[in-house]
Amino acid sequence: MQIYLPIAEVSVNAFLLLGLGGLVGVLSGMFGVGGGFLMTPLLFFIGIPPAVAVATEANQIVASSFSGVLAHFRRQTVDIKMGLVLQAGGLVGAALGVLVFNYLKAQGQVDLLVKLCYVVFLGVVGGLMFIESLNAIWKSKKSGGAAPARRQRNWIHALPFKVRFRTSGLYISVIPPILVGICVGILAAIMGVGGGFIMVPAMIYILGMPTKVVIGTSLFQIITVTAFTTMLHATTNYTVDIVLAVLLLIGGVIGAQIGTRIGVYMKAEQLRILLALMVMIVCGKLALDLLLTPSELFSLGAGGGH
């Protein structure tokens, strides 16, 4: 069933969009990521213009993240105070990111920027997460299944403005969470992602949060930042396609509930290594698209490009 997307100005199969939304929703519930790192490139691949894909994908991230975080609230695995601090940084970062996005769009370079950002960030984060997850699994087996102890003190504990985060069992400075939030906000605006692929490892390895509260807290932060990003794109770029957003929303909400249930039955190390593999696969596909000669050379000129 073909459906016309008025802002994107293309016709796409409605069931394909529902399926993609559901797939990304499952990832959101399992890993605590918005899923935009996968959905935005997929939208590129089915012919959605990059500017529309980035702006509209934020809608789907809000829905799937909200659906997933409800389940984590019921299990009391959300650190609300930490989430609010991350949100404060995220809102500032989102505003900065939209300014950069608008400037590059005016220069005609936003398509290249988005793809390069994906290749760099996904490659680095995916590779580091994969190596660390393998080490964690190996150490766990070596210690007879006991979880490796987290390092209790690092450079973060020497910073000022400390706040106690009781749900996470931390007493650390608010500066690192705010900086992490700013970075994620910028990525949300420029790449059309929730930033979970950056947020989750940062919360575990930099902030030292326990894995059981990381996923729910990440989703809690993603909701506010991506909603704010959507409003900025809608009011400044006019690139939010409501029809596309609704189809992705429906699939994402259903998929997030399924993913949350699947995640309960998997170990933290298994979740991290699966996420790392997913990140590296998407990175590889985007890198190949940038390096290989396209089968249809005239497609390079689509949308006013060169």
Side-chain angles (χ1 to χ4, degrees), residues 90-140:
L91 295 178
V92 174
L96 294 174
V98 169
L99 290 176
V100 174
F101 186 92
N102 290 346
Y103 173 77
L104 291 169
K105 183 183 177 185
Q107 301 299 317
Q109 299 297 322
V110 70
D111 189 1
L112 179 62
L113 171 73
V114 169
K115 291 182 179 180
L116 286 177
C117 283
Y118 268 106
V119 171
V120 173
F121 280 100
L122 296 183
V124 172
V125 173
L128 292 176
M129 283 188 65
F130 183 77
I131 294 172
E132 196 283 332
S133 298
L134 286 179
N135 289 335
I137 293 174
W138 181 77
K139 291 178 181 178
S140 178

Side-chain angles (χ1 to χ4, degrees), residues 1 39 45-46 56 64 123 125 156 159 191 253 257 265 288 299:
M1 183 177 70
M39 177 60 78
F45 301 153
I46 64 174
T56 305
S64 59
V125 173
I156 289 179
L159 297 176
M191 300 172 63
V253 169
Q257 293 299 316
Y265 300 101
L288 286 175
S299 64

Side-chain angles (χ1 to χ4, degrees), residues 223-257:
I223 292 171
T224 302
V225 174
T226 50
F228 181 65
T229 300
T230 300
M231 289 189 294
L232 289 178
H233 277 300
T235 55
T236 60
N237 295 324
Y238 311 106
T239 49
V240 177
D241 193 307
I242 296 299
V243 178
L244 174 60
V246 169
L247 291 172
L248 295 177
L249 285 173
I250 295 173
V253 169
I254 297 172
Q257 293 299 316

Side-chain angles (χ1 to χ4, degrees), residues 264-275:
V264 172
Y265 300 101
M266 301 185 69
K267 294 181 180 179
E269 292 81 8
Q270 294 172 331
L271 287 172
R272 292 204 298 271
I273 200 167
L274 284 176
L275 178 58

